[in-house]
Every structure is written in structure tokens, then in C-alpha cells.
Amino acid sequence: MNRETVVTEALNLLDEVGLEAVSTRRLAKRLGVEQPSLYYHFRTKKDLLAAMAHAAMAPHAGAPLPSPEDDWREWFLENSRSLRRTLLLRRDGARLHAGSTPIGDLDRIRHKMAFLVTSGVPENDAQMAMLAAGRYTVGCVLEEQADAAPGGDEGLPADVPVIDHESAFEAGLTLILKGMEQCVEGADGAAGKDAAAVAAVTHRADGE
């Protein structure tokens, strides 16, 4: 039994029983070992959950990184969609992911940030937009998976419309993108005014 086997079986257990019911006792029984044997690979349940969260993100972590010729708007939308799809692959995927630290993905995050900045998005705005989009996506999936749980839609009045989660997600994501576009337009406008001011000063200096 190696670390990868433990994580794989832990994720399979997650899909069967949900996050609240995942325990080292149940996992040990599933693996056919004594509970203390798991501590060789993971000192605490928190360490195990962190490894599960990292492994569960593999589809998103393996998605192609943006290249210079890509349109930053289309890439930004697809990056968030990829995160959503990945979180939905696992039962309670959003709850498992929430609060995890992407230590192993820092190089990918830096690449994505550099792509946005090179594409014209102001650095601070790019950072905040990526953070907002990530948290927005996790929050949307949390709600979606909660509704999908047994009894998730009980108690709602008959005249309350059923939410189309994908459509709602896309609508919110578009609003985030529009905000980014306004930041880019504002930065371009400021840069144009600065350039015009420099040109005016240079012209006056040449005429003196």
C-alpha cells in the first residue's frame, strides 16, 4: 500500500459516503489494514484531506496553460469553467477544495498571471479577478452540490423557479469579465492621456 493508493481509495470513499462521513477508520477498513497503518502516509486527517483535494484537482491542474496568441477573455472564461467542471467531478468536491492551499500549483498560477498582465490587464486587477473568479466558482459549486444532495430542494414554495446552475454560473462569470474589461479600458485610457501629455510637453520644449 502506497500513498497514491490511499488517496485514490479515499476519493472513492468520498464519492460513496460524502465528506462528513469520510474517516480514517472507514478508509482503513476499505483498504483492509489497521487504522494506525494510515499514519505512515498521513500523520493527521487534515493531511489526508489536503492530499485528496490536491489529487481531485488533477483535471484542472492538467489543463493547457495559456499561450501568447490566446484571447485573454476566452481563456479567463474557460479557466473558470474548467475549475467548475473539476469540482463537480467529485461528491462534495467544492467543500473538499475550499480552504486548500495550491502550493504545488504556484508555477501554473504565476504563468496565468503573467499571461493576463502581458495581455493588458493591470497586475493588481488581474490578481483580484483571479481570486474573485476562483472563490465565485467554488461558491457556485457549493450551492449546486448542496441542492443535489437528498432533500436539497425541499421546503421551497411552488412559485420559486428552479435554478439552472450552469446558466447562473455563466451569467455571474460574464459580469466578472465585464469588470475586468472596464479595468483594461481604464488603464488604456490613462496610458493614452499620459502619452498625450508627454507629447505636448515635448512639442512645447521643441518650440522654445
Side-chain angles (χ1 to χ4, degrees):
M1 182 180 68
N2 56 33
R3 183 183 177 93
E4 183 178 350
T5 299
V6 174
V7 172
T8 298
E9 287 304 316
L11 288 172
N12 290 337
L13 178 62
L14 170 70
D15 288 338
E16 290 181 11
V17 302
L19 187 60
E20 289 185 1
V22 170
S23 66
T24 53
R25 179 185 59 80
R26 281 191 170 188
L27 180 57
K29 182 177 180 180
R30 184 184 185 92
L31 290 165
V33 299
E34 296 297 323
Q35 192 171 345
S37 300
L38 298 178
Y39 299 139
Y40 175 80
H41 300 285
F42 303 100
R43 295 181 61 184
T44 66
K45 182 180 178 180
K46 182 179 179 180
D47 292 338
L48 173 61
L49 291 175
M52 291 168 61
H54 179 76
M57 287 300 296
H60 180 63
L65 288 168
S67 56
E69 62 272 14
D70 289 337
D71 180 271
W72 71 266
R73 299 164 185 80
E74 289 299 324
W75 174 83
F76 180 80
L77 293 173
E78 178 53 32
N79 185 65
S80 297
R81 291 165 181 157
S82 171
L83 174 58
R84 176 177 178 268
R85 288 193 299 267
T86 297
L87 294 174
L88 286 170
L89 287 175
R90 294 288 180 180
R91 181 174 177 178
D92 294 334
R95 290 181 59 197
L96 176 66
H97 177 75
S100 61
T101 304
I103 296 176
D105 298 324
L106 291 180
D107 286 341
R108 289 180 59 86
I109 294 173
R110 292 190 186 99
H111 183 104
K112 293 176 180 181
M113 286 299 307
F115 166 72
L116 288 175
V117 173
T118 301
S119 298
V121 183
E123 183 173 3
N124 186 66
D125 293 329
Q127 292 173 348
M128 292 300 100
M130 287 292 287
L131 180 63
R135 291 183 174 182
Y136 166 72
T137 303
V138 173
C140 284
V141 177
L142 277 170
E143 294 290 344
E144 184 170 352
Q145 293 184 321
D147 284 351
D153 58 354
E154 290 183 359
L156 290 177
D159 60 342
V160 174
V162 176
I163 295 176
D164 183 307
H165 290 286
E166 185 171 2
S167 296
F169 171 77
E170 288 291 333
L173 188 59
T174 298
L175 290 175
I176 296 176
L177 177 61
K178 287 182 178 179
M180 292 178 69
E181 289 176 331
Q182 289 180 0
C183 291
V184 172
E185 291 172 1
D188 290 343
K193 290 180 180 178
D194 290 343
V198 171
V201 171
T202 302
H203 178 73
R204 287 197 298 268
D206 289 342
E208 293 177 353

